[in-house]
Amino acid sequence: MQVVCSDAHLAHCPTHEVQGGRSIALHEVPVRAETIRHALRDAGGFVERAPTDHGLAPIEAVHDPDLVAYLAHAWQDWAAACADDEQRAEAIADTYRHAALREGMGPAHPPQSGLGRLGYWCFDTATPMVEGTYGAARSAVDIALTATDLVLSGGHRNAYALCRPPGHHAPRAGIGGYCFFNNAAIAAQHAITAGAARVTVLDVDYHHGNGTQQIFYGRGDVQYVSLHADPDRAYPYFTGFADETGADAGRGATVNVPLPAHCTDDRYLAALDQALDDVLTFDPDLLVVSLGLDTYHGDPIGDFSVTTPGLARCGERVGGAQLPTVVVHEGGYDVATLGANAVAWLSGLLRTTRDG
Ligand code: OKP
Ligand code: ZN
């Protein structure tokens, strides 16, 4: 199996986030991708390839060009606004553009300070930036696009994009949830631009991919299907309810399956089978999987009870759909098991894929 990866993610290395009001060590760390890379090397049968530069056009086909322009200089912008080196260490906003703030008053003046701009574009306290963040986020997009090219025109039945930072929480005009550019959404749109009639994004990360859902909510050509922790108890809290099913031309093309805490292998696989029925009914030309391994029972920020053999069975079920498939990495934070779990899921996919 082709694995697209690079060292560029190493430069995105903030150290803390604010979770539930507490400053804690950041869960989204460089060793996550490194440990998966090493496990795939040890497992054998996985071939590493470097990404190619796809430029800004595929990003701006999905994201607001003003967001893209902001991110290109967000670090310099922040650093200039900082009082001292301690604050300058990593960028986290303190005031967010909450909808209630200007209700009934029309849009605000564009923010002029580094802190104001960060609160304008970012929606949470889990998305710190450092100097290397923009380059790493650009590289993650190129990884997803290169993997997509391998499947669309490179003669490969599937490919794995080892993306970091992840992407599925980033909407058209915002960042959050460790995410800057929506790698999976950009890959899906890239396939549409290249001529695919229909693309499905199947999101099996523990968290709802609010960004991907938002980007395609009104679209009939890109289906979004997600299994995730019920937003009544889990991040991102405000999206991912079962009654969110799409709008306008996208009516019925969004499928949300909220799941309870301690969700077992059997419960999860039953939901996945049902979701795959929806995917096959939609009949996409390409399947993009947003793969999060934070459904694993040992994950420090999840509460599901999925096991390593369970993850292998998930990969088998997805491979059994027999669709050209690009697997785009999202979450998963139990560093000790990430490698084995990635190998399990991907090996499952390969086992059931014909001429993989
Ligand atoms: C990114 B991905 C819960 C706080 C959650 C952000 C989680 C982002 C997950 N108390 N903080 O979907 O794995
Ligand atoms: Zn997640």
Side-chain angles (χ1 to χ4, degrees):
M1 184 182 205
Q2 305 289 305
V3 176
V4 188
C5 57
S6 93
D7 292 334
H9 78 90
L10 295 169
H12 175 55
C13 54
T15 60
H16 76 286
E17 64 185 295
V18 178
Q19 213 186 87
R22 277 186 298 260
S23 184
I24 60 167
L26 187 66
H27 286 289
E28 205 292 282
V29 286
V31 67
R32 295 178 55 245
E34 293 303 295
T35 193
I36 292 174
R37 200 168 171 178
H38 285 107
L40 296 177
R41 278 182 197 157
D42 292 347
F46 295 92
V47 181
E48 289 186 20
R49 327 198 19 149
T52 56
D53 183 358
H54 284 65
L56 285 178
I59 301 179
E60 293 187 340
V62 160
H63 288 291
D64 185 341
D66 288 346
L67 170 65
V68 181
Y70 165 70
L71 286 175
H73 63 76
W75 172 258
Q76 285 69 23
D77 201 54
W78 161 266
C82 285
D84 53 38
D85 283 349
E86 194 203 340
Q87 185 189 16
R88 203 166 286 123
E90 48 200 80
I92 298 182
D94 58 25
T95 306
Y96 298 88
R97 181 173 46 124
H98 189 285
L101 201 59
R102 294 197 55 86
E103 188 183 344
M105 298 193 293
H109 292 274
Q112 295 302 312
S113 70
L115 261 165
R117 272 194 282 264
L118 189 52
Y120 181 90
W121 293 110
C122 189
F123 61 77
D124 71 6
T125 58
T127 318
M129 277 188 264
V130 294
E131 191 166 13
T133 297
Y134 177 72
R138 284 287 305 270
S139 174
V141 169
D142 283 327
I143 286 172
L145 290 169
T146 303
T148 305
D149 288 341
L150 290 172
V151 174
L152 288 181
S153 53
H156 295 277
R157 190 71 184 147
N158 48 46
Y160 175 51
L162 184 37
C163 294
R164 185 184 165 269
H168 72 153
H169 295 301
R172 182 190 72 88
I175 62 174
Y178 309 149
C179 301
F180 300 91
F181 295 129
N182 194 317
N183 307 309
I186 294 166
Q189 178 58 48
H190 182 61
I192 295 285
T193 305
R198 284 175 308 285
V199 176
T200 292
V201 180
L202 172 64
D203 191 329
V204 295
D205 187 278
Y206 168 84
H207 302 93
H208 182 243
N210 59 284
T212 314
Q213 170 167 304
Q214 185 274 328
I215 287 163
F216 298 118
Y217 207 62
R219 297 259 301 260
D221 54 348
V222 180
Q223 182 192 40
Y224 178 69
V225 180
S226 179
L227 312 189
H228 50 266
D230 194 323
D232 278 343
R233 74 170 190 287
Y235 182 93
Y237 308 112
F238 309 113
T239 65
F241 298 96
D243 62 0
E244 295 168 4
T245 56
D248 307 317
R251 267 166 175 269
T254 293
V255 179
N256 282 305
V257 187
L259 292 165
H262 316 298
C263 183
T264 60
D265 288 348
D266 287 344
R267 174 83 206 260
Y268 192 89
L269 283 155
L272 181 59
D273 283 338
Q274 225 167 9
L276 285 166
D277 280 348
D278 289 330
V279 174
L280 292 174
T281 302
F282 186 75
D283 189 28
D285 301 319
L286 180 75
L287 178 64
V288 176
V289 178
S290 270
L291 175 62
L293 297 168
D294 39 9
T295 51
Y296 179 64
H297 68 87
D299 194 90
I301 65 172
D303 63 9
F304 285 176
S305 302
V306 177
T307 66
T308 301
L311 289 166
R313 290 165 69 198
C314 290
E316 287 173 3
R317 299 299 170 85
V318 174
Q322 307 301 342
L323 292 165
T325 300
V326 182
V327 181
V328 175
H329 204 93
E330 302 283 357
Y333 305 97
D334 184 40
V335 170
T337 58
L338 266 181
N341 285 340
V343 170
W345 200 99
L346 295 170
S347 302
L349 178 87
L350 296 174
R351 240 186 325 277
T352 50
T353 305
R354 286 196 290 268
D355 13 273

